[in-house]
């Protein structure tokens, strides 16, 4: 399968714990995006990378959130000191710079108890 | 900032019938892209159709077509010959392209849950 993959698919954690999600984009895609989707809402942009450079971060991305794409391939999104309000589906997407179509992964569903 | 509005939270249609999903958006940009994405119960988002704002011709993809009214900032999706597999959440999305400093990030509406019934 050469699509976007995300791991884990589901994560349940207790409030205050740290969690890390991984996204593997389509191999030749140089852009990678993170979105957050809460129940009944459309996805909201969090941040994006072009190769290894993080080019934009949303105001939704508080100081507890950090994302990396160290070698320009896979990316990680870490949430420190999780809060119940962080419960959501975290979606990753990738694209080529010269193309406007984003391909989405299956998402990681986070539940903070 | 751009906003996307989908005023129909839920819709239903009989199999083989035609349904139209509405979307309006607000932007001061002249060059942009509009998309319809489908999110089936399995949750993976799939691109349905794309429209470039500079093209007057409405995009079509098999049973899916759009009615793009740039002046009215309206972008509706028509699904013809509806099939059970079309049951999903449909999201309208706006993109300001890279060349105009947009970064290609998507701004989504709140979605329309479409149910296709026998």
């Amino acid at each position: 399968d050469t699509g976007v993959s995300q791991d884990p698919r589901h994560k349940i954690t207790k409030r205050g714990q740290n969690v890390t999600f991984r996204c593997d984009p389509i191999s030749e895609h140089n852009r990678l995006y993170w979105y957050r989707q809460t129940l009944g809402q459309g996805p909201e942009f969090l941040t994006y990378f072009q190769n290894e450079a993080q080019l934009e971060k949303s105001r939704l991305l508080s100081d507890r959130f950090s994302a990396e794409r160290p070698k320009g391939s896979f990316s990680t999104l870490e949430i420190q000191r999780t809060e119940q309000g962080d419960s959501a589906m975290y979606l990753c997407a990738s694209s080529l710079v010269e193309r406007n179509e984003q391909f989405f992964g299956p998402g990681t569903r986070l539940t903070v108890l | 900032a751009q906003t996307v509005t989908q005023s129909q939270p839920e819709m239903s249609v009989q199999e083989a019938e035609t349904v139209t999903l509405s979307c309006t958006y607000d932007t001061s940009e002249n060059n942009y892209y509009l998309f319809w994405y489908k999110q089936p119960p399995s949750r993976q988002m799939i691109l349905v159709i794309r429209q470039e704002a500079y093209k007057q011709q409405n995009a079509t993809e098999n049973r899916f077509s759009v009615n793009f009214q740039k002046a009215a900032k309206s972008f509706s999706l028509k699904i013809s010959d509806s099939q059970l597999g079309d049951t999903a959440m449909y999201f309208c999305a706006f993109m300001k392209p890279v060349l105009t400093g947009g970064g290609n990030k998507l701004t989504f509406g709140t979605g329309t849950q479409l149910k296709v019934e026998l």
Side-chain angles (χ1 to χ4, degrees):
Chain A
D1 184 25
T2 57
V4 179
S5 61
Q6 293 186 245
D7 183 69
R9 295 291 304 277
H10 303 274
K11 178 71 177 179
I12 300 174
T13 191
K14 293 182 180 179
R15 188 177 54 185
Q17 297 295 304
N18 299 343
V19 294
T20 300
F21 310 141
R22 176 179 169 126
C23 170
D24 286 89
I26 294 172
S27 59
E28 66 269 25
H29 284 187
N30 38 24
R31 285 208 161 199
L32 186 148
Y33 301 80
W34 285 100
Y35 294 86
R36 181 171 68 187
Q37 184 178 20
T38 53
L39 199 61
Q41 299 296 316
E44 295 174 293
F45 169 78
L46 292 178
T47 187
Y48 84 89
F49 294 83
Q50 182 166 316
N51 301 314
E52 65 274 10
Q54 188 174 18
L55 297 185
E56 187 174 347
K57 293 193 290 186
S58 163
R59 283 177 239 173
L60 293 175
L61 213 65
S62 76
D63 291 344
R64 298 183 297 104
F65 287 71
S66 63
E68 294 182 342
R69 194 183 183 197
K71 297 181 180 178
S73 56
F74 73 91
S75 175
T76 57
L77 178 67
E78 180 183 17
I79 309 174
Q80 296 182 326
R81 305 180 303 282
T82 52
E83 302 173 356
Q84 287 184 329
D86 296 332
S87 294
M89 177 76 85
Y90 290 84
L91 297 170
C92 176
S94 70
S95 73
L96 292 168
V97 171
E98 60 271 24
R99 294 293 302 263
N100 296 308
E101 180 176 351
Q102 292 182 22
F103 293 83
F104 282 81
T108 294
R109 177 165 293 286
L110 172 66
T111 302
V112 182
L113 302 175
Chain B
Q2 286 70 230
T3 59
V4 178
T5 302
Q6 294 180 250
S7 58
Q8 305 154 313
E10 296 179 352
M11 293 192 72
S12 62
V13 63
Q14 297 292 315
E15 195 177 21
E17 297 295 308
T18 296
V19 64
T20 299
L21 280 56
S22 301
C23 172
T24 58
Y25 58 95
D26 187 24
T27 184
S28 58
E29 302 293 330
N30 190 51
N31 184 25
Y32 51 87
Y33 295 84
L34 295 163
F35 303 85
W36 279 97
Y37 277 88
K38 168 184 176 180
Q39 192 174 40
S42 66
R43 307 288 290 187
Q44 188 142 6
M45 197 87 70
I46 303 165
L47 177 65
V48 175
I49 198 164
R50 170 177 68 186
Q51 175 79 43
E52 292 90 340
Y54 61 87
K55 288 187 177 179
Q56 292 186 340
Q57 186 173 6
N58 289 324
T60 62
E61 286 288 341
N62 301 312
R63 297 182 295 108
F64 299 88
S65 62
V66 298
N67 183 5
F68 173 50
Q69 303 288 329
K70 190 173 183 179
K73 296 180 183 175
S74 171
F75 183 61
S76 61
L77 174 69
K78 185 172 83 171
I79 306 174
S80 303
D81 185 26
S82 297
Q83 300 175 359
L84 294 177
D86 295 333
T87 293
M89 181 72 87
Y90 286 81
F91 291 100
C92 178
F94 174 99
M95 175 190 283
K96 183 180 171 185
V98 173
L99 292 177
T100 59
N104 276 22
K105 62 186 178 187
L106 291 163
T107 301
F108 288 87
T110 52
T112 296
Q113 177 64 52
L114 176 67
K115 182 177 181 181
V116 180
E117 300 171 328
L118 289 170

